[in-house]
Amino acid sequence: MDAAANSRLSSSGEQPIFTTRAHVFQIDPNTKKNWVPASKQAVTVSYFYDVTRNSYRIISVDGAKVIINSTITPNMTFTKTSQKFGQWADSRANTVFGLGFSSEQQLTKFAEKFQEVKEAARLARDKSQEKIETSSNHSQASSVNGTDDEKASCAGPADTHLKSENDKLKIALTQSAANVKKWEIELQTLRESNARLTSALQESAASVEQWKRQFSLCRDENDRLRNKIDELEEQCSEINREKEKNTQLKRRIEELESELREKETELIDLRKQSEIIPQLMSECEYVSEKLEAAERDNQNLEDKVRSLKTDIEESKYRQRHLKVELKSFLEVLDGKIDDLHDFRRGLSKLGADN
């Protein structure tokens, strides 16, 4: 429900007590079997309480069009026909309203609120009837008392006042009786309308069975379409895998092309180098000749080194031999020196004795 409609209802004394969203349907007035969508999409559906009239209404507005304006009475019944669909009959509007919710929880909340409001409407009706009965009894008692007073009195201001009050009470009693007749006529009308709506509900139940069969067919078709979608998704996955392989192959081809360009560059460099191969060969022959000369010189040097090593070995041998002879000579010399010392000590001793 839009803000403008909400404002109009609020200014008229009605306040929203519960609001939800649902798809609105009405029974086909011609066939009394098929549902006719009253809204193209989900709209706001609200319970309103009228403080001045002490009544409850279900109201829904689609743009500027009022698609539900149903006053709740104690005789109404809200019926759940599926997990997400419910309906009720409005005898005053001579139609059956249906609501399609997006979840079972929303349907349950709406049904509970309908029962609560229905009970409140019943209590309001009972209180209203009690007030009417009390007013009627009071009027009858006042009328009887007024008749007795007329019999007991003859004249005077008090009698005139009582007669005036009695006339007022008679008028009120007449109006009350007329209201009772009007309520009886309206009750009879409601019963006849209720009978028609009961028939419509039975036809609606048959329509619900038809809807269930159609729903079953749609569900089977939906399952088939889902399987088809799964197959298409699998095919899409294979296509994506092929695309990924193609992408990898493209990258590999680019890498190979890059390597080929590098090899071509290397080949060009090798060709350039092959142009200087004769020069390199002549230089290589020159270097080879020098290497052979160096090897000959090296051989001669090795021969000289071997000769020198031989001379060194012989020199070492002679040095060792000389060291042995020198050691023997030193030993003999030490002996001679010891003998000389002994001889000197003997001479010294001999000189001392002389």
Side-chain angles (χ1 to χ4, degrees), residues 76-95:
M76 287 184 177
T77 301
F78 185 82
T79 305
K80 295 181 182 178
T81 57
S82 67
Q83 290 183 348
K84 297 181 182 180
F85 192 87
Q87 63 184 40
W88 79 96
D90 190 341
S91 58
R92 294 184 179 180
N94 195 23
T95 187

Side-chain angles (χ1 to χ4, degrees), residues 169-184:
L169 290 173
K170 284 180 180 180
I171 294 171
L173 181 60
T174 303
Q175 291 177 350
S176 177
N179 288 332
V180 169
K181 289 181 180 180
K182 185 176 71 172
W183 281 105
E184 288 176 352

Side-chain angles (χ1 to χ4, degrees), residues 262-273:
E262 291 178 358
K263 295 297 181 183
E264 288 178 350
T265 304
E266 291 179 0
L267 182 59
I268 292 171
D269 294 338
L270 289 173
R271 285 177 180 174
K272 290 180 180 179
Q273 292 177 3

Side-chain angles (χ1 to χ4, degrees), residues 2 19 27 88 139 178 180 187 194 212 227 241 277-278 334 348:
D2 58 10
T19 300
I27 202 73
W88 79 96
S139 298
V180 169
L187 179 60
N194 191 27
K212 286 182 178 178
N227 294 331
R241 286 194 292 269
I277 285 177
D334 287 338
S348 297

